[in-house]
Amino acid sequence: MSSIQRAAVLGSGVMGAAIAAHLANVGIPSLLLDIVPNKVTPDEEKKGLTLESKAVRNRLANFGKLGLAKAKPAPLYSTKDMDMIETGNFEDDFHKIAECDWIIEVVVERLDIKRQVLAKVDEFRKKGSIVSSNTSGVSITAMAEGRSEDFRRHFLGTHFFNPPRYMKLLEIIPTHDTSTEVIQDMRVFCENVLGKGVVIARDTPNFIANRIGTYGLLVTLDELQKSQFGVDEVDVLTGPVLGRPKSATFRTLDIVGIDTFLHVAENVYDQSTDPEEKAIFAVPSVIQTMVEKGWIGEKNGQGFFKREKTAQGREIFALDLETMTYRPRKKLSSASYEAAKAAPTLQKKLQTLVYGEDAAATFIWDVMKKTLIYSAALVGVIADDIVAIDNAMKWGFNWDLGPFELWDAIGVRRSVERMKAEGLSIPAFVESLLSQGESFYAQQGQTVQSFFIGSGYKEAKHDERKIDLALLKENGHLVMGNKSASLVDLGDGVACLELHSLKQAIGPDVVSMMMKAAQEVEKNFEALVISSEAANFSVGANLMMMLMEAQDDNWDEIDLVIRQFQNANMRLKYLKKPVVIAPYGLTLGGGAEIAMAGTQLQMAAETYCGLVEVGVGLLPGGGGNKELLMRWMERMPNGTDLSPIPLVQKAFEAIAMAKVSTSAKEASELGFLRSTDRITVARDQLLAQAKLSSLELARDFVPRRHTGVQVVGENGAAYLKIGVFGMKKSGYISDHDEKIAHHVIRVLTGGKAPGGSVVSEQYLLDLEREAFLSLCGEPKTQARMQHMLQKGKPLRN
């Protein structure tokens, strides 16, 4: 869909503005329109503005756009991209949608208003442009009634989940009139360009994820009111132990907004013709009462939970649904839960809890059995197959397993026998499965080979845009490895170094594999990629190991470890074959140093990259100071008389303030990316794109040559120290912060080397290692390291 060069977003509320922001993230300019206000504000009146003033007429769209810079979490990769959003209003600027290739309606959730706006779209749009409605449940078919044939062929629902930048799920809802080519093209565009996980949903109330998710939440609430448990205890039971987010059930409702949840539930209730379903979606009186009181969740300060000030500080209190008062949270007492929590795998956790024998296990079983049966009854109703339903729940509600994957995990036959014994009716879809097999999915290791469709099993298609490291290893592509890292053959002459230590922390095993991988790739491969499929790229060095060595005064050991890590990064940097690093998620400390060691970065858009060692009283020790300095110095225009000190200052600020990017674009602004580096929006395509980039580089690859680094010397150091002195004098930093900052300055400015001289990279690495060792010996640094390990946050001492 390269033809989508410009978009229009109609409606500038929270969702509309956030969709425009994500379009800007991926380089698509948009027109953000909203209605014209019917009166001026007091501030506008003071400025002499009237209803005819452009600033007044565009107020709503301008407000939506300006709010993007302050919103948390940030909707934009970089606030610099705000310039890609043009604002206007429905009366003066609607004709401009004729310039747009995709028009997204995001107005209020009322069919009559949506139909009015879409009628106007039909009047002004150009033929062939895509038109979609972002709705969480209004009928797409009803919206299209009465529209032109070309409109209907190019119209569909695009249900973004909030916030659009971060939530992977996008439900595409076609009508019977929507062109199959449009459906397919939009799917590919939304996956490749917007980075979404797309599912095709049928035009039914609340589509897929909200239909099942809302049902599950209501069933949980219903069972809660029959049980001895409180909302806090149920959140413990329905969180990570079930493969669900920490926010679990009632914390999730507080985040989403209980008023929003009420609207979604009522939408199914109003449209359902099934008495049993209608009974479940009849919103409980407790929800109605909470909405009437304004207890609608985080946005109003209280819902199922409330933060209050106490003598111990701010504490979270839970709502007692019987008394409608808040009480201190209780600790869950359950042998089944404790056993499940200790189980080694998610499958074992689920089986332990579901088939346990205490009240907690019974509670989970009663919720789960109803949700599973409901999901099975909707196959062919809300979606064509179980894969769409499972993906919708994983991507939209952050479940680790969708309902049919979960059913496989607890055992379909065993659970169905129990359901029947309890008098439950089993959907024909499940009965059909058990007459032909034992599970909804047929797998090889962790990889799905086929899935059940009712009449039998359908082969799962391999997506060439994605690489599955686990499958490659299962099929004999493991070249070598140890407990912390593996070298995997990706095919076509490309190898991948995969980090799989705890939190991808960098220790001796990882460094050893970096050196072995370098040797193997130079001998037998055309290129190397470094990435993995874990939650994050790397949280940095093994801090516990470093602290223990420092407390035991093993300075030679620390020196050796740091020297080996520096050597491994330099080995990668000057490898005779191209090295593409593909970081994503947390890429901190040593992880960022590995990222900067490659020939090229293929960075995921959602990468949070930074040299954060100052937070534990250290400075980067694996070459990070040197590499960030070199990247900034490369930005100095050739033939200029400008001082390089401001560029050195940029590197210093990033390191001394432990700045962490909120995106790959911001990582570039902090100096971590070069102009030749690339950004991938679709996280699940990152490894495949890194492989393609490595093959491109391999065609005519010329290894790097050592060129040295120009340093600014003691004059530059004096300039930077003035700033540090000012911060110390103002009370912003402590004595120990000042000491660390001076070490960073010494490394970045070249120590005693004269200003303007060129030093070797090894010279800077030696300065860096000396500074690292010196700081390791400081009691206040060791206290910071200890505090981080115990509390998970920095200590200011």
Side-chain angles (χ1 to χ4, degrees):
M1 292 290 289
S2 58
S3 58
I4 295 183
Q5 301 295 319
R6 181 172 173 78
V9 180
L10 310 180
S12 64
V14 172
M15 199 65 183
I19 290 171
H22 193 55
L23 291 169
N25 288 337
V26 299
I28 298 174
S30 64
L31 175 68
L32 183 63
L33 304 181
D34 214 315
I35 61 173
V36 175
N38 57 15
K39 60 181 179 180
V40 295
T41 65
D43 283 345
E44 289 168 340
E45 200 168 4
K46 285 179 185 176
K47 294 175 183 176
L49 300 174
T50 70
L51 286 175
E52 299 305 313
S53 302
K54 195 72 173 172
V56 175
R57 296 176 73 78
N58 290 355
R59 184 209 306 153
L60 294 180
N62 289 340
F63 183 79
K65 176 180 175 179
L66 291 173
L68 296 172
K70 301 174 184 176
K72 299 293 180 184
L76 290 158
Y77 292 157
S78 169
T79 54
K80 293 179 180 179
D81 289 336
M82 284 180 68
D83 291 344
M84 299 188 72
I85 302 172
E86 176 190 349
T87 58
N89 66 75
F90 284 0
E91 293 180 17
D92 303 326
D93 305 295
F94 212 89
H95 63 280
K96 295 180 181 178
I97 70 167
E99 303 164 7
C100 300
D101 309 301
W102 182 15
I103 301 145
I104 311 166
E105 170 271 303
V106 202
V107 301
V108 66
E109 289 280 80
R110 275 179 48 184
L111 177 60
D112 58 336
I113 294 176
K114 288 181 178 291
R115 282 175 58 84
Q116 289 175 23
V117 172
L118 293 172
K120 196 170 181 180
V121 170
D122 201 3
E123 180 183 348
F124 285 98
R125 66 180 279 271
K126 65 183 178 184
K127 281 192 173 184
S129 61
I130 306 296
V131 184
S132 71
S133 173
N134 182 73
T135 175
S136 59
V138 179
S139 170
I140 305 299
T141 301
M143 286 187 221
E145 287 176 4
R147 302 279 61 82
S148 67
E149 181 184 353
D150 187 76
F151 179 103
R152 295 197 311 273
R153 284 179 55 78
H154 293 86
F155 179 65
L156 34 67
T158 47
H159 180 207
F160 287 84
F161 271 58
N162 193 28
R165 168 184 165 180
Y166 301 94
M167 291 301 291
K168 183 173 180 177
L169 179 62
L170 174 62
E171 293 176 323
I172 286 182
I173 311 100
T175 71
H176 291 299
D177 294 328
T178 310
S179 158
T180 54
E181 291 81 6
V182 167
I183 299 168
Q184 181 58 23
D185 287 350
M186 281 299 289
R187 178 174 202 152
V188 171
F189 171 82
C190 292
E191 288 174 342
N192 289 358
V193 181
L194 300 184
K196 295 298 170 190
V198 173
V199 297
I200 306 299
R202 292 192 179 179
D203 189 10
T204 55
N206 290 2
F207 313 127
I208 302 174
N210 277 346
R211 180 79 168 266
I212 292 175
T214 303
Y215 179 90
L217 291 167
L218 285 167
V219 166
T220 305
L221 180 57
D222 183 53
E223 292 298 330
L224 166 67
Q225 293 179 301
K226 301 175 190 174
S227 77
Q228 65 193 36
F229 299 113
V231 295
D232 45 350
E233 294 167 299
V234 168
D235 268 8
V236 172
L237 280 173
T238 57
V241 73
L242 289 189
R244 309 280 171 82
K246 288 182 180 178
S247 57
T249 301
F250 296 104
R251 181 83 181 94
T252 294
L253 283 172
D254 276 358
I255 294 169
V256 169
I258 295 163
D259 53 338
T260 302
F261 171 72
L262 175 66
H263 168 77
V264 173
E266 286 178 336
N267 189 50
V268 177
Y269 179 85
D270 291 340
Q271 297 184 60
S272 177
T273 57
D274 180 349
E276 289 186 17
E277 181 180 57
K278 215 170 179 68
I280 284 291
F281 280 90
V283 178
S285 59
V286 65
I287 295 288
Q288 301 280 8
T289 301
M290 291 176 72
V291 172
E292 289 167 9
K293 286 177 175 286
W295 299 358
I296 56 176
E298 276 201 347
K299 56 189 173 186
N300 265 23
Q302 66 187 100
F304 288 103
F305 296 94
K306 180 182 180 181
R307 287 186 177 88
E308 293 183 5
K309 287 185 178 179
T310 68
Q312 289 74 39
R314 290 183 68 81
E315 290 187 51
I316 299 175
F317 289 77
L319 181 64
D320 186 314
L321 298 187
E322 288 188 10
T323 64
M324 294 303 284
T325 58
Y326 290 91
R327 57 159 176 77
R329 288 183 295 174
K330 295 185 291 190
K331 180 176 174 59
L332 174 70
S333 176
S334 164
S336 292
Y337 169 74
E338 294 299 332
K341 193 169 68 167
T345 65
L346 179 54
Q347 182 179 21
K348 291 291 185 185
K349 291 179 192 295
L350 289 165
Q351 291 176 350
T352 301
L353 190 54
V354 169
Y355 298 119
E357 296 183 353
D358 60 10
T362 301
F363 178 90
I364 289 299
W365 167 251
D366 287 341
V367 171
M368 189 177 291
K369 68 186 181 186
K370 294 177 182 178
T371 306
L372 294 179
I373 288 172
Y374 185 70
S375 300
L378 290 174
V379 176
V381 176
I382 60 174
D384 288 344
D385 57 53
I386 63 173
V387 176
I389 293 174
D390 278 347
N391 284 340
M393 299 314 299
K394 289 189 291 184
W395 298 337
F397 278 73
N398 293 319
W399 292 7
D400 288 345
L401 299 176
F404 298 97
E405 293 170 321
L406 189 153
W407 212 333
D408 279 354
I410 65 171
V412 183
R413 191 172 298 279
R414 181 182 180 186
S415 62
V416 167
E417 287 173 358
R418 182 176 175 183
M419 291 172 187
K420 287 181 176 180
E422 294 174 2
L424 295 175
S425 176
I426 308 302
F429 181 76
V430 182
E431 295 282 21
S432 178
L433 165 73
L434 292 175
S435 70
Q436 302 177 59
E438 294 294 319
S439 60
F440 290 103
Y441 292 93
Q443 297 190 193
Q444 177 187 344
Q446 298 297 312
T447 305
V448 173
Q449 300 296 314
S450 59
F451 57 92
F452 188 67
I453 58 171
S455 57
Y457 285 84
K458 181 179 180 180
E459 184 180 353
K461 292 182 179 178
H462 173 64
D463 190 339
E464 293 184 354
R465 298 170 299 174
K466 302 170 187 177
I467 291 176
D468 186 336
L469 287 175
L471 178 62
L472 286 172
K473 288 190 284 187
E474 288 167 10
N475 290 335
H477 286 247
L478 178 65
V479 179
M480 63 177 72
N482 57 34
K483 64 181 181 180
S484 297
S486 298
L487 189 67
V488 183
D489 186 349
L490 300 184
D492 303 313
V494 180
C496 175
L497 178 60
E498 175 194 18
L499 309 186
H500 46 69
S501 54
L502 179 64
K503 295 185 179 180
Q504 292 66 58
I506 299 160
D509 282 346
V510 170
V511 173
S512 171
M513 277 303 302
M514 289 168 69
M515 296 298 277
K516 289 178 180 177
Q519 182 177 352
E520 179 68 19
V521 167
E522 279 192 337
K523 186 186 297 184
N524 295 315
F525 289 88
E526 297 302 313
L528 174 65
V529 169
I530 301 180
S531 195
S532 70
E533 294 175 332
N536 297 295
F537 181 72
S538 174
V539 297
N542 187 328
L543 190 61
M544 174 65 80
M545 179 193 74
M546 203 64 66
L547 176 61
M548 290 173 63
E549 297 292 354
Q551 289 176 334
D552 291 342
D553 295 332
N554 289 336
W555 307 117
D556 288 344
E557 182 65 26
I558 295 175
D559 180 79
L560 177 63
V561 167
I562 296 303
R563 191 186 300 271
Q564 288 176 335
F565 186 37
Q566 289 180 343
N567 291 343
N569 282 328
M570 288 290 281
R571 180 80 167 95
L572 293 177
K573 182 174 181 177
Y574 292 101
L575 203 70
K576 294 175 183 177
K577 303 290 177 67
V579 178
V580 174
I581 318 288
Y584 57 89
L586 294 178
T587 302
L588 305 176
E593 290 175 309
I594 291 176
M596 289 190 286
T599 313
Q600 182 175 293
L601 277 166
Q602 185 84 41
M603 185 176 276
E606 295 296 343
T607 300
Y608 317 118
C609 181
L611 295 168
V612 297
E613 288 83 354
V614 166
V616 290
L618 297 168
L619 85 173
N625 304 279
K626 166 186 70 70
E627 282 302 321
L628 193 59
L629 173 66
M630 293 181 75
R631 276 165 161 72
W632 275 110
M633 294 295 277
E634 287 169 7
R635 299 189 183 195
M636 176 73 79
N638 290 328
T640 182
D641 293 330
L642 295 173
S643 169
I645 291 176
L647 297 175
V648 179
Q649 184 175 10
K650 291 282 191 183
F652 170 70
E653 289 172 354
I655 296 167
M657 297 173 71
K659 290 184 177 180
V660 177
S661 71
T662 61
S663 67
K665 280 191 177 180
E666 194 171 81
S668 180
E669 293 167 13
L670 291 175
F672 290 101
L673 279 74
R674 294 184 167 97
S675 59
T676 53
D677 294 329
R678 297 175 177 179
I679 295 174
T680 295
V681 179
R683 165 71 185 87
D684 51 6
Q685 298 180 31
L686 178 66
L687 193 50
Q689 292 189 13
K691 177 185 173 182
L692 289 174
S693 293
S694 73
L695 288 170
E696 287 177 22
L697 290 169
R699 290 192 193 111
D700 51 3
F701 183 66
V702 177
R704 284 193 178 110
R705 296 177 60 192
H706 294 265
T707 57
V709 188
Q710 185 177 351
V711 294
V712 296
E714 292 183 342
N715 287 341
Y719 176 84
L720 294 176
K721 286 178 181 178
I722 291 171
V724 173
F725 176 78
M727 293 187 75
K728 172 68 168 44
K729 201 74 174 170
S730 302
Y732 288 112
I733 62 174
S734 67
D735 289 343
H736 195 53
D737 292 325
E738 183 180 38
K739 180 177 287 187
I740 299 166
H742 283 180
H743 276 294
V744 175
I745 288 170
R746 183 167 182 268
V747 175
L748 292 177
T749 57
K752 294 187 178 299
S757 63
V758 176
V759 301
S760 69
E761 290 182 67
Q762 190 58 52
Y763 172 82
L764 292 179
L765 288 173
D766 291 341
L767 288 178
E768 184 176 290
R769 194 174 65 259
E770 290 165 12
F772 189 96
L773 284 164
S774 175
L775 287 169
C776 272
E778 294 281 347
K780 287 187 177 180
T781 284
Q782 293 181 20
R784 288 189 180 192
M785 295 165 78
Q786 186 88 43
H787 191 269
M788 178 61 76
L789 288 167
Q790 291 177 344
K791 305 291 186 180
K793 55 186 178 181
L795 169 69
R796 292 297 305 276
N797 59 351

